[in-house]
Amino acid sequence: MEKLNTVSSIVTPLDRPNVDTDQIVPKQFLKLVQRTGFGEFLFYDWRFDQNGNQRKEFVLNDPKYSGSHILISGDNFGCGSSREHAAWAIKDYGFDVVIAPSFADIFYNNCFKNGILPISLAKDIVSELMKTVSVVKVDLSSQTIQYDSKSISFEIDQSRKKTLLEGLDDIAITLMHEVKISSFEKTRKI
Amino acid sequence: MNITEKILARASGKSKVAPGDIIFANVDKAMIHDVSGPGVIKVFEKLQKQGIPTEKLWDSSKVWVAEDHFVPSAEKISAENIVKLSKFTKQYGIQKHFKYGMGQYGICHTLSHEEAMVLPGEVYVGGDSHTNTTGALGAFACGLGHTDVAYVLLNGKIWFKVPETLYFKLNGKLPEHMMAKDLILKIIGDIGTEGAAYEAMQFGGSGISEMTVESRLTLCNMTTEAGAKNGIIEPDQKVFDYLGQRGATGYTPVHGDDDAQYAKVYEYEASELEPTIAKPFSPENIAVVRDIAGVELDKSYIGSCTGAKYEDLEAAAKILKGRQVRIRTEILPAAISIYKRAMENGLIKIFLDAGVTVGPPTCGACCGAHMGVLAKDEICISTTNRNFPGRMGHVESQTYLASPLVAAASAVTGKITDPRDL
């Protein structure tokens, strides 16, 4: 997995709550299992009409947000189906950071397995960030976000922070410790 | 400790755990299906490239496989995924693979109880968000993403944060015109779609004791829609009998202590509840059925892990017997065993006589996959679990979530209808 530390870009505001994984990657693409290339299916039914033409009113189709690496949205982002394709699509499209007041549990977990930093912030700060037009800088090692000459901090579990900073995935980390785990298991009294 | 805490303590070899503790739990059973399975296979391939061995699963006898989302194969790609899944189970020696067209098969969450794949006291994880369903048997059951499932398949364990538990108490027996679906929709409406985010939802009280095992499964199934980590009910004699009829023996049920703690307790009086429906486009967007009665419909869909168990079909048959449907109506029993029982007991004939199309077990149109998806502007009443935009088909279609009684009554009139008003 690629390492992730600082991300500087304008933010893409997707101002609605309860964005569910059915919207992030619609069902017709679940049959595909390659982990790359899913970006083209991201928010498919919102981005394209039934003839495959771009819906101009949808935020991702606004050229001013092209090249953005930070997605910002409402409460309970990533709810619904457990499909990991949702995280694959967000990463592949180019988003490294997702900011929301809250996340659904399985999606939140899936982010760390795929090099995405999910940041949960108070609602009023999220609304303020959504309106920011200048570049926002997210710094994972110092756990800060700088925007409009302000600096705020965010919370993250330290082991997960390390995972992203070092580009490790959970399975690789644990398997590296397999010998230690096995010897611990042997000596442990239950 | 309450039941969730006790199961997690036992699974992690600890004498005591508390909400917020991070524990490493041994997993008793793991499940993959035709969407998460190919995803897990992909993760395995990635690990192999990194030089991480994937030749052996932790215990292939504890892993089981369902084919449900895109079966019978919807088109070429899903057909290939089924082949891929079969190769995987053969390679790793997984015996419990429920294949369509080869006897018993069905929706994974339905098989989990119909086939007694999960037992009281166990930790059960699956590559699907509605894995929560089987907590109704007194197990800790939750869904995981592909990477986490791959990890469990190789190591047999996974970490959890012990959740806080919300306790929902139902006083009194639900009346005849009500089903567990009405209650869980009411609860989701009350607490919201993230009202139980990373919390356990436990159900209890006299109304739950009165409920059948299948009704309890409906409750736990939709805890996912409130964001819950797991749904759970203390197992009782009804559960033991249900599992006994399915050949399950030799398990050790877990019960909460008398001084078990809950983060919050919600109480409901059965006599005060009304048939409930969730309007588009969220399961929390609820209304009393009678308050929106008369909304014109194009379709009624009785299917899925939430709404096509045997008693769901029985409820629909009670309404449809001797009547005709006015709108397109589909009924898809959730497993072959249920289909057979419905056939033997005359339910399938009642459905066909009423004009219903009866389909094979599949997740089908519940997730918009196939077998009756919705067109632009079509309005459907459905016994399924989600009504997000486009969930069952076109992004501009609409789905109302309801109990099988309400969905069947509405099929008969072509409009949203309370079963008492037929």
Tab-separated table of all heavy atoms in Angstrom, chain A residues 1-8 69-70 91 94-98 111-112 114-119 138-142 154 156 160-168:
chain	number	residue	atom	x	y	z
A	1	MET	N	0.836	-1.199	0.000
A	1	MET	CA	0.000	0.000	0.000
A	1	MET	C	0.876	1.257	0.000
A	1	MET	O	1.905	1.278	0.653
A	1	MET	CB	-0.863	-0.037	1.265
A	1	MET	CG	-2.248	0.412	1.052
A	1	MET	SD	-3.327	-0.150	2.394
A	1	MET	CE	-2.684	0.734	3.804
A	2	GLU	N	0.455	2.276	-0.716
A	2	GLU	CA	1.212	3.530	-0.730
A	2	GLU	C	1.182	4.195	0.637
A	2	GLU	O	0.196	4.117	1.357
A	2	GLU	CB	0.533	4.508	-1.696
A	2	GLU	CG	0.969	4.410	-3.128
A	2	GLU	CD	0.089	5.291	-3.994
A	2	GLU	OE1	-0.053	6.493	-3.656
A	2	GLU	OE2	-0.463	4.779	-4.979
A	3	LYS	N	2.270	4.905	0.963
A	3	LYS	CA	2.275	5.644	2.224
A	3	LYS	C	1.399	6.892	2.096
A	3	LYS	O	1.284	7.458	1.011
A	3	LYS	CB	3.702	6.071	2.567
A	3	LYS	CG	4.598	4.885	2.849
A	3	LYS	CD	6.016	5.349	3.102
A	3	LYS	CE	6.890	4.118	3.317
A	3	LYS	NZ	8.291	4.443	3.493
A	4	LEU	N	0.849	7.326	3.199
A	4	LEU	CA	0.034	8.534	3.160
A	4	LEU	C	0.426	9.423	4.331
A	4	LEU	O	0.434	8.976	5.477
A	4	LEU	CB	-1.439	8.140	3.259
A	4	LEU	CG	-2.464	9.233	2.968
A	4	LEU	CD1	-3.609	8.660	2.161
A	4	LEU	CD2	-3.022	9.833	4.244
A	5	ASN	N	0.830	10.649	4.041
A	5	ASN	CA	1.146	11.553	5.145
A	5	ASN	C	0.454	12.899	4.970
A	5	ASN	O	-0.507	13.190	5.650
A	5	ASN	CB	2.659	11.714	5.294
A	5	ASN	CG	3.007	12.523	6.521
A	5	ASN	OD1	2.132	12.863	7.316
A	5	ASN	ND2	4.273	12.845	6.697
A	6	THR	N	0.933	13.707	4.016
A	6	THR	CA	0.242	14.979	3.820
A	6	THR	C	-0.527	14.974	2.502
A	6	THR	O	-0.074	14.404	1.515
A	6	THR	CB	1.236	16.160	3.788
A	6	THR	OG1	2.163	15.917	2.736
A	6	THR	CG2	1.957	16.310	5.096
A	7	VAL	N	-1.678	15.582	2.546
A	7	VAL	CA	-2.500	15.711	1.341
A	7	VAL	C	-2.938	17.168	1.255
A	7	VAL	O	-3.531	17.692	2.205
A	7	VAL	CB	-3.752	14.803	1.414
A	7	VAL	CG1	-4.630	14.989	0.189
A	7	VAL	CG2	-3.357	13.339	1.574
A	8	SER	N	-2.602	17.820	0.147
A	8	SER	CA	-3.025	19.213	-0.033
A	8	SER	C	-3.849	19.309	-1.298
A	8	SER	O	-3.381	18.942	-2.373
A	8	SER	CB	-1.815	20.127	-0.202
A	8	SER	OG	-1.099	20.173	0.995
A	69	HIS	N	-8.268	15.731	-3.917
A	69	HIS	CA	-7.944	14.478	-3.230
A	69	HIS	C	-8.700	14.344	-1.922
A	69	HIS	O	-8.495	13.402	-1.175
A	69	HIS	CB	-6.439	14.398	-2.943
A	69	HIS	CG	-5.608	14.390	-4.183
A	69	HIS	ND1	-5.699	13.381	-5.116
A	69	HIS	CD2	-4.700	15.286	-4.661
A	69	HIS	CE1	-4.865	13.643	-6.112
A	69	HIS	NE2	-4.260	14.801	-5.868
A	70	ILE	N	-9.538	15.340	-1.618
A	70	ILE	CA	-10.242	15.326	-0.335
A	70	ILE	C	-11.755	15.406	-0.593
A	70	ILE	O	-12.247	16.352	-1.195
A	70	ILE	CB	-9.802	16.520	0.553
A	70	ILE	CG1	-8.278	16.485	0.772
A	70	ILE	CG2	-10.544	16.496	1.884
A	70	ILE	CD1	-7.715	17.721	1.463
A	91	LYS	N	-10.629	5.476	-3.560
A	91	LYS	CA	-9.170	5.590	-3.697
A	91	LYS	C	-8.771	5.707	-5.175
A	91	LYS	O	-7.975	6.561	-5.556
A	91	LYS	CB	-8.510	4.365	-3.053
A	91	LYS	CG	-6.998	4.399	-3.073
A	91	LYS	CD	-6.447	5.426	-2.090
A	91	LYS	CE	-4.920	5.429	-2.098
A	91	LYS	NZ	-4.391	6.469	-1.217
A	94	GLY	N	-9.178	8.942	-6.852
A	94	GLY	CA	-8.154	9.935	-6.517
A	94	GLY	C	-8.319	10.556	-5.140
A	94	GLY	O	-7.528	11.417	-4.753
A	95	PHE	N	-9.334	10.106	-4.397
A	95	PHE	CA	-9.497	10.666	-3.051
A	95	PHE	C	-8.640	9.879	-2.061
A	95	PHE	O	-8.703	8.652	-2.000
A	95	PHE	CB	-10.966	10.606	-2.611
A	95	PHE	CG	-11.851	11.535	-3.381
A	95	PHE	CD1	-12.905	11.043	-4.153
A	95	PHE	CD2	-11.644	12.912	-3.339
A	95	PHE	CE1	-13.725	11.905	-4.873
A	95	PHE	CE2	-12.460	13.778	-4.054
A	95	PHE	CZ	-13.502	13.279	-4.830
A	96	ASP	N	-7.823	10.609	-1.281
A	96	ASP	CA	-7.001	9.982	-0.251
A	96	ASP	C	-7.580	10.230	1.138
A	96	ASP	O	-7.222	9.555	2.097
A	96	ASP	CB	-5.583	10.567	-0.285
A	96	ASP	CG	-4.929	10.346	-1.638
A	96	ASP	OD1	-4.955	9.197	-2.115
A	96	ASP	OD2	-4.438	11.330	-2.239
A	97	VAL	N	-8.415	11.259	1.236
A	97	VAL	CA	-8.976	11.648	2.531
A	97	VAL	C	-10.489	11.811	2.366
A	97	VAL	O	-10.957	12.382	1.373
A	97	VAL	CB	-8.375	12.995	3.005
A	97	VAL	CG1	-9.019	13.457	4.306
A	97	VAL	CG2	-6.864	12.904	3.165
A	98	VAL	N	-11.250	11.280	3.324
A	98	VAL	CA	-12.688	11.544	3.366
A	98	VAL	C	-12.993	12.163	4.721
A	98	VAL	O	-12.592	11.630	5.759
A	98	VAL	CB	-13.538	10.263	3.186
A	98	VAL	CG1	-15.029	10.608	3.143
A	98	VAL	CG2	-13.142	9.510	1.918
A	111	CYS	N	-11.517	1.651	4.884
A	111	CYS	CA	-10.664	2.752	4.435
A	111	CYS	C	-9.192	2.468	4.744
A	111	CYS	O	-8.322	2.624	3.892
A	111	CYS	CB	-11.054	4.052	5.133
A	111	CYS	SG	-12.518	4.798	4.434
A	112	PHE	N	-8.923	2.052	5.983
A	112	PHE	CA	-7.538	1.846	6.405
A	112	PHE	C	-6.872	0.700	5.651
A	112	PHE	O	-5.657	0.659	5.529
A	112	PHE	CB	-7.470	1.590	7.913
A	112	PHE	CG	-7.854	2.800	8.710
A	112	PHE	CD1	-9.133	2.947	9.220
A	112	PHE	CD2	-6.935	3.824	8.915
A	112	PHE	CE1	-9.489	4.081	9.927
A	112	PHE	CE2	-7.284	4.958	9.634
A	112	PHE	CZ	-8.569	5.091	10.140
A	114	ASN	N	-7.172	0.277	2.625
A	114	ASN	CA	-6.999	0.692	1.243
A	114	ASN	C	-6.351	2.065	1.102
A	114	ASN	O	-6.526	2.745	0.089
A	114	ASN	CB	-8.361	0.649	0.532
A	114	ASN	CG	-8.853	-0.777	0.382
A	114	ASN	OD1	-8.400	-1.507	-0.490
A	114	ASN	ND2	-9.761	-1.201	1.255
A	115	GLY	N	-5.643	2.473	2.141
A	115	GLY	CA	-4.872	3.704	2.051
A	115	GLY	C	-5.685	4.982	2.013
A	115	GLY	O	-5.254	5.984	1.438
A	116	ILE	N	-6.864	4.942	2.627
A	116	ILE	CA	-7.698	6.161	2.692
A	116	ILE	C	-7.742	6.610	4.153
A	116	ILE	O	-7.910	5.781	5.046
A	116	ILE	CB	-9.135	5.882	2.218
A	116	ILE	CG1	-9.141	5.358	0.783
A	116	ILE	CG2	-10.012	7.128	2.339
A	116	ILE	CD1	-10.460	4.724	0.376
A	117	LEU	N	-7.606	7.910	4.365
A	117	LEU	CA	-7.704	8.447	5.726
A	117	LEU	C	-9.122	9.003	5.948
A	117	LEU	O	-9.481	10.015	5.352
A	117	LEU	CB	-6.664	9.561	5.912
A	117	LEU	CG	-6.773	10.420	7.174
A	117	LEU	CD1	-6.624	9.590	8.438
A	117	LEU	CD2	-5.733	11.541	7.150
A	118	PRO	N	-9.928	8.346	6.792
A	118	PRO	CA	-11.236	8.909	7.113
A	118	PRO	C	-11.112	9.800	8.353
A	118	PRO	O	-10.557	9.382	9.356
A	118	PRO	CB	-12.087	7.667	7.423
A	118	PRO	CG	-11.125	6.629	7.888
A	118	PRO	CD	-9.739	7.017	7.421
A	119	ILE	N	-11.599	11.021	8.259
A	119	ILE	CA	-11.492	11.947	9.396
A	119	ILE	C	-12.885	12.366	9.841
A	119	ILE	O	-13.685	12.838	9.045
A	119	ILE	CB	-10.692	13.214	9.023
A	119	ILE	CG1	-9.287	12.830	8.557
A	119	ILE	CG2	-10.617	14.174	10.207
A	119	ILE	CD1	-8.460	14.020	8.084
A	138	VAL	N	-4.052	18.529	4.784
A	138	VAL	CA	-4.241	17.532	5.837
A	138	VAL	C	-2.883	16.930	6.143
A	138	VAL	O	-2.190	16.459	5.247
A	138	VAL	CB	-5.217	16.419	5.372
A	138	VAL	CG1	-5.324	15.326	6.434
A	138	VAL	CG2	-6.585	17.005	5.069
A	139	ASP	N	-2.479	16.990	7.415
A	139	ASP	CA	-1.201	16.428	7.816
A	139	ASP	C	-1.458	15.329	8.837
A	139	ASP	O	-1.873	15.597	9.966
A	139	ASP	CB	-0.319	17.539	8.410
A	139	ASP	CG	1.087	17.031	8.690
A	139	ASP	OD1	1.211	15.910	9.254
A	139	ASP	OD2	2.060	17.730	8.346
A	140	LEU	N	-1.198	14.084	8.419
A	140	LEU	CA	-1.520	12.955	9.288
A	140	LEU	C	-0.559	12.858	10.465
A	140	LEU	O	-0.977	12.607	11.594
A	140	LEU	CB	-1.522	11.648	8.473
A	140	LEU	CG	-1.751	10.351	9.247
A	140	LEU	CD1	-3.071	10.382	10.011
A	140	LEU	CD2	-1.735	9.153	8.299
A	141	SER	N	0.741	13.086	10.233
A	141	SER	CA	1.668	12.879	11.349
A	141	SER	C	1.417	13.862	12.482
A	141	SER	O	1.503	13.494	13.649
A	141	SER	CB	3.118	12.896	10.886
A	141	SER	OG	3.357	14.070	10.166
A	142	SER	N	1.038	15.103	12.155
A	142	SER	CA	0.742	16.048	13.255
A	142	SER	C	-0.759	16.080	13.569
A	142	SER	O	-1.201	16.808	14.449
A	142	SER	CB	1.222	17.447	12.873
A	142	SER	OG	0.464	17.927	11.777
A	154	PHE	N	-7.311	16.670	14.577
A	154	PHE	CA	-8.304	15.588	14.526
A	154	PHE	C	-7.772	14.358	15.246
A	154	PHE	O	-6.573	14.217	15.466
A	154	PHE	CB	-8.672	15.256	13.071
A	154	PHE	CG	-7.526	14.777	12.210
A	154	PHE	CD1	-7.189	13.425	12.156
A	154	PHE	CD2	-6.791	15.684	11.427
A	154	PHE	CE1	-6.148	12.986	11.348
A	154	PHE	CE2	-5.738	15.248	10.630
A	154	PHE	CZ	-5.410	13.897	10.590
A	156	ILE	N	-7.272	10.234	15.774
A	156	ILE	CA	-7.164	8.968	15.045
A	156	ILE	C	-6.465	7.951	15.938
A	156	ILE	O	-5.592	8.312	16.735
A	156	ILE	CB	-6.420	9.145	13.696
A	156	ILE	CG1	-6.430	7.829	12.922
A	156	ILE	CG2	-5.000	9.653	13.889
A	156	ILE	CD1	-5.931	7.941	11.500
A	160	ARG	N	-3.646	2.752	13.741
A	160	ARG	CA	-4.139	2.953	12.376
A	160	ARG	C	-3.386	4.071	11.682
A	160	ARG	O	-3.143	4.030	10.477
A	160	ARG	CB	-5.630	3.259	12.422
A	160	ARG	CG	-6.383	2.042	12.870
A	160	ARG	CD	-7.821	2.343	12.991
A	160	ARG	NE	-8.566	1.187	12.549
A	160	ARG	CZ	-9.869	1.084	12.646
A	160	ARG	NH1	-10.581	2.066	13.152
A	160	ARG	NH2	-10.483	0.016	12.226
A	161	LYS	N	-3.008	5.062	12.453
A	161	LYS	CA	-2.212	6.164	11.910
A	161	LYS	C	-0.909	5.605	11.345
A	161	LYS	O	-0.505	5.917	10.225
A	161	LYS	CB	-1.918	7.149	13.046
A	161	LYS	CG	-1.011	8.294	12.684
A	161	LYS	CD	-0.881	9.222	13.887
A	161	LYS	CE	0.151	10.299	13.668
A	161	LYS	NZ	0.230	11.204	14.824
A	162	LYS	N	-0.291	4.722	12.119
A	162	LYS	CA	0.967	4.110	11.708
A	162	LYS	C	0.780	3.311	10.412
A	162	LYS	O	1.615	3.380	9.500
A	162	LYS	CB	1.441	3.196	12.850
A	162	LYS	CG	2.815	2.643	12.647
A	162	LYS	CD	3.309	1.938	13.921
A	162	LYS	CE	4.659	1.315	13.634
A	162	LYS	NZ	4.764	-0.085	13.880
A	163	THR	N	-0.316	2.581	10.368
A	163	THR	CA	-0.622	1.789	9.177
A	163	THR	C	-0.577	2.650	7.921
A	163	THR	O	0.032	2.296	6.921
A	163	THR	CB	-2.046	1.207	9.305
A	163	THR	OG1	-2.145	0.524	10.523
A	163	THR	CG2	-2.371	0.272	8.183
A	164	LEU	N	-1.232	3.812	7.987
A	164	LEU	CA	-1.288	4.682	6.810
A	164	LEU	C	0.058	5.347	6.538
A	164	LEU	O	0.501	5.418	5.396
A	164	LEU	CB	-2.370	5.755	6.996
A	164	LEU	CG	-3.821	5.277	6.960
A	164	LEU	CD1	-4.760	6.439	7.253
A	164	LEU	CD2	-4.177	4.642	5.620
A	165	LEU	N	0.708	5.804	7.607
A	165	LEU	CA	1.985	6.504	7.427
A	165	LEU	C	3.028	5.589	6.791
A	165	LEU	O	3.821	6.014	5.970
A	165	LEU	CB	2.514	7.002	8.779
A	165	LEU	CG	1.842	8.247	9.370
A	165	LEU	CD1	2.363	8.509	10.776
A	165	LEU	CD2	2.075	9.478	8.490
A	166	GLU	N	2.984	4.314	7.182
A	166	GLU	CA	4.007	3.386	6.679
A	166	GLU	C	3.533	2.562	5.488
A	166	GLU	O	4.285	1.744	4.959
A	166	GLU	CB	4.473	2.468	7.817
A	166	GLU	CG	5.144	3.276	8.922
A	166	GLU	CD	5.659	2.422	10.060
A	166	GLU	OE1	5.660	1.182	9.935
A	166	GLU	OE2	6.046	3.004	11.075
A	167	GLY	N	2.279	2.761	5.105
A	167	GLY	CA	1.778	2.041	3.940
A	167	GLY	C	1.656	0.543	4.159
A	167	GLY	O	1.811	-0.256	3.248
A	168	LEU	N	1.387	0.174	5.412
A	168	LEU	CA	1.244	-1.256	5.722
A	168	LEU	C	-0.228	-1.630	5.697
A	168	LEU	O	-1.080	-0.798	5.925
A	168	LEU	CB	1.786	-1.539	7.123
A	168	LEU	CG	3.265	-1.263	7.330
A	168	LEU	CD1	3.594	-1.316	8.810
A	168	LEU	CD2	4.099	-2.281	6.558
